[in-house]
Amino acid sequence: MRFTTSVVGALLNALLASAAPTPTTDASLAVTTVSNRVIFSPPSNAGWVDPRVLYARALSLSSGPLLATWENYSPEPPAVYFPIYRSQDGGASWAQIGSIKDTVNGWGLRYQPTLYELPQAVGRWAKGTILAAGNSIPTDLSKTKIDVYASTDGGATWTFVSTVASGGVAKPDNGLTPVWEPLFLVYNNQLVIYYSDQRDSKYGQKLVHQTTSDLATWSAVVDDVHDTAAYAARPGMPAITRLPNGNYIFAYEVCGTDGCRVHYRLNRNPLDVLNTPASATFTLKSTKGTTPVSSPSVVWSSVGGANGTIVLSAGNSGQVFTNRKLGDPNSWVEYTTPQPSAYSRGLELLKSDDSALVIIGAGRLPPSTTNFVSVSVLDLKALVGA
Ligand SMILES: *[C@@H]1O[C@H](CO)[C@@H](O)[C@H](O)[C@H]1NC(C)=O
């Protein structure tokens, strides 16, 4: 299905009429809601490549602003890059303040950007440094490389930091050797980067991580999820967040053998996801029976009492899936949102108020010539009735 502007508008109106929180004038409500606000829509006639934009990510900075970036299929040359847009009003309005350009390979920064603010110093990089990682890939898609860049000026300028992993042809076919989809986490005074890895001939694809304590050298590859019984299994798209009971929820898709359904593991040690017992490994299923598919993103908010609320987004759904029982497999409740479904939406919470849920998306996989980048900011308390 193609998402024309009018379809989006009609859907949005229907959603707002049926399920969105009632508009209120209560000034004490901290969260100003934003519904499917367009951040960037490429010009339609200037050589932009299908799907134009994809795979958007937002980052709430502790200094206040929101940043956004995405896969940006601008005409080449010049090499593709990750744009950096900023909002200083909680997601209502956006302007470009910079871009992350490949300064080491000459290939461009093409796929799967991720943004992260360092919660503590790592090596020579101070607390508050903004990190970006993404997949540097040449125009002919012959190579993949996960590179890290850093900004110390709020996202305006970026410096190459280090390379984490290098792989082969950027196509998701078993037997090829690309690396994909990086994601950062600081744990135990180390910076961890999770990603998808096709370089191990035992598996079509597996999930792995590497760690660093200086952002210069990275540890050996450690497996997080692989399927010893089925070469064709393609666990991918890692997502992780910490829960208040000390567990981490590690969510991922399983393509190849399970239709890309979303699975998750609960484990105290985010460096040992691989040895999570079967009793703490689940296929996500909502209380309505929905099993969401592909590209999960997950955050944890303190909204809703001691357990707080886990919020998860998946690629085939405009809903979000929430869990107020620390990942209990029978307690996933789905809620409609005004943010349309997209391939690999990003979730983020405002650092100043974690009841503000940011959902950012940038449309569908190709063929899709109408994708645009948009964001919704929702009051999670109103959404889940907490
Ligand atoms: C918090 O989560 C635990 C574990 O699932 C559950 O037993 C408990 O009922 C939850 N508390 C609330 C208030 O929902």
Side-chain angles (χ1 to χ4, degrees):
M1 168 177 176
R2 280 173 195 261
F3 251 58
T4 63
T5 310
S6 60
V7 170
V8 170
L11 270 180
L12 193 57
N13 289 338
L15 293 176
L16 287 171
S18 63
T22 312
T24 174
T25 52
D26 182 350
S28 70
L29 270 185
V31 179
T32 306
T33 61
V34 170
S35 293
N36 195 21
R37 185 70 48 92
V38 175
I39 300 176
F40 175 70
S41 187
S44 55
N45 58 354
W48 283 67
V49 174
D50 180 6
R52 309 202 319 155
V53 290
L54 201 69
Y55 200 105
R57 291 291 181 270
L59 177 69
S60 168
L61 300 179
S62 24
S63 59
L66 272 170
L67 298 184
T69 191
W70 53 85
E71 296 179 3
N72 197 60
Y73 295 80
S74 52
E76 294 173 82
V80 289
Y81 58 90
F82 299 141
I84 296 289
Y85 276 56
R86 182 177 67 188
S87 172
Q88 296 187 287
D89 54 10
S93 64
W94 295 81
Q96 185 166 14
I97 59 157
S99 50
I100 315 174
K101 293 191 168 154
D102 167 17
T103 55
V104 291
N105 309 315
W107 305 342
L109 288 166
R110 192 169 306 274
Y111 291 169
Q112 302 138 1
T114 190
L115 296 173
Y116 187 73
E117 180 182 311
L118 279 181
Q120 62 180 74
V122 176
R124 71 183 183 89
W125 301 98
K127 174 180 176 176
T129 299
I130 307 168
L131 296 181
N135 214 332
S136 182
I137 298 172
T139 312
D140 67 3
L141 308 184
S142 60
K143 302 180 196 74
T144 47
K145 192 158 168 267
I146 294 175
D147 283 337
V148 180
Y149 287 77
S151 174
T152 56
D153 61 3
T157 62
W158 296 82
T159 311
F160 174 76
V161 175
S162 57
T163 294
V164 180
S166 296
V169 175
K171 290 187 182 153
D173 302 341
N174 293 340
L176 299 179
T177 57
V179 290
W180 311 111
E181 302 149 3
L183 183 81
F184 289 116
L185 175 77
V186 160
Y187 171 72
N188 209 8
N189 299 316
Q190 291 180 301
L191 180 68
V192 189
I193 192 163
Y194 297 91
Y195 60 96
S196 308
D197 189 350
Q198 293 190 216
R199 297 171 299 176
D200 184 340
S201 60
K202 292 200 287 292
Y203 310 105
Q205 182 172 282
K206 63 182 183 179
L207 289 169
V208 302
H209 70 261
Q210 293 178 243
T211 58
T212 185
S213 48
D214 59 10
L215 262 166
T217 56
W218 292 86
S219 74
V221 173
V222 177
D223 286 14
D224 292 312
V225 180
H226 60 218
D227 190 333
T228 51
Y231 169 84
R234 296 179 53 83
M237 292 274 193
I240 191 167
T241 199
R242 189 177 186 279
L243 307 181
N245 62 351
N247 272 347
Y248 286 78
I249 178 171
F250 183 89
Y252 52 102
E253 63 182 22
V254 178
C255 298
T257 51
D258 196 33
C260 295
R261 286 198 298 174
V262 173
H263 296 233
Y264 66 98
R265 298 179 175 199
L266 300 171
N267 193 314
R268 295 195 88 72
N269 183 351
L271 303 181
D272 193 26
V273 173
L274 185 65
N275 291 308
T276 308
S279 59
T281 301
F282 308 100
T283 301
L284 197 153
K285 186 176 191 176
S286 81
T287 52
K288 283 187 183 164
T290 307
T291 53
V293 169
S294 97
S295 51
S297 173
V298 69
V299 293
W300 178 84
S301 165
S302 65
V303 161
N307 287 344
T309 304
I310 304 168
V311 187
L312 185 142
S313 167
N316 71 331
S317 173
Q319 337 282 90
V320 288
F321 298 83
T322 65
N323 191 306
R324 292 169 67 183
K325 295 201 168 173
L326 304 169
D328 170 65
N330 301 311
S331 304
W332 288 96
V333 181
E334 56 181 277
Y335 290 98
T336 299
T337 78
Q339 183 64 23
S341 69
Y343 174 72
S344 194
R345 296 193 304 188
L347 295 185
E348 177 73 343
L349 299 168
L350 291 195
K351 290 220 168 60
S352 58
D353 175 0
D354 77 350
S355 66
L357 174 69
V358 179
I359 315 175
I360 188 168
R364 310 300 183 87
L365 287 168
S368 184
T369 55
T370 55
N371 284 353
F372 56 88
V373 184
S374 69
V375 68
S376 296
V377 184
L378 310 179
D379 182 349
L380 199 50
K381 287 191 194 117
L383 189 75
V384 306

